[in-house]
Amino acid sequence: MVGASLGGRAAVDLALAVPERVRALVLVGSGLAGHPFQEPALFELWDRSEGAIERGDHLEAARVELDTWVVGMDRGPSAVTPELRRRVEAMLLAAYAHGEADLEEPDPAAAGIPRAERVVLGGTAHLPNMERPEEFNRVVLEFLAKVGPAP
């Protein structure tokens, strides 16, 4: 199972529910259900995004989310391509149209997990799979080759 952001949270939940169906997990910026996120710098940004959603200003909410998660808090807007911004904005607007859940995301660690590896694709933000897909795919495929085929 490969999951990014909330997709990673869903992948973990699936692995816990039916472990016999999951051979390996690849989590990208994923949180865990029931564990509160502890990054104070993000609380103001979440408040701005949620406020925009409550006002029905989905474009402003998407802009805040893009700047926070796609560009990243330590980079400028030119760090990502206009095409990536457009794709993520469309994804966010579609999600807002369907409604949002109240979610909290921690940063899980690889320590203590058998055969776990932590890989950081430098120069990316929350969605390295979208910013550098070729490198991301190479890392994932190398990891899965180490895990080996399903029994």
Side-chain angles (χ1 to χ4, degrees):
M1 289 293 303
V2 178
S5 192
L6 294 176
R9 178 178 172 165
V12 169
D13 290 346
L14 175 71
L16 292 171
V18 286
E20 67 278 3
R21 299 200 61 185
V22 178
R23 180 171 53 103
L25 285 173
V26 175
L27 306 175
V28 182
S30 302
L32 300 173
H35 293 276
F37 190 74
Q38 300 290 329
E39 183 60 47
L42 295 175
F43 293 133
E44 179 187 339
L45 294 167
W46 279 334
D47 288 345
R48 286 177 45 207
S49 176
E50 288 177 14
I53 291 169
E54 289 171 6
R55 292 189 310 276
D57 190 349
H58 292 176
L59 286 174
E60 172 62 11
R63 188 194 62 74
V64 172
E65 296 290 333
L66 277 162
D67 289 346
T68 303
W69 300 108
V70 179
V71 173
M73 294 173 27
D74 297 329
R75 302 188 307 171
S78 65
V80 297
T81 66
E83 173 61 15
L84 178 59
R85 289 185 70 90
R86 186 197 61 73
R87 288 174 49 211
V88 174
E89 180 181 77
M91 182 177 65
L92 288 168
L93 293 174
Y96 299 153
H98 287 93
E100 285 195 356
D102 182 17
L103 301 171
E104 299 175 341
E105 290 186 59
D107 182 17
I113 301 172
R115 297 185 296 166
E117 296 180 14
R118 182 173 189 261
V119 176
V120 176
L121 297 184
T124 64
H126 187 61
L127 298 171
N129 55 309
M130 293 184 80
E131 285 192 64
R132 300 203 340 235
E134 295 83 13
E135 186 176 354
F136 176 84
N137 290 342
R138 180 187 52 76
V139 169
V140 170
L141 292 172
E142 286 174 0
F143 172 73
L144 293 176
K146 291 177 197 173
V147 172

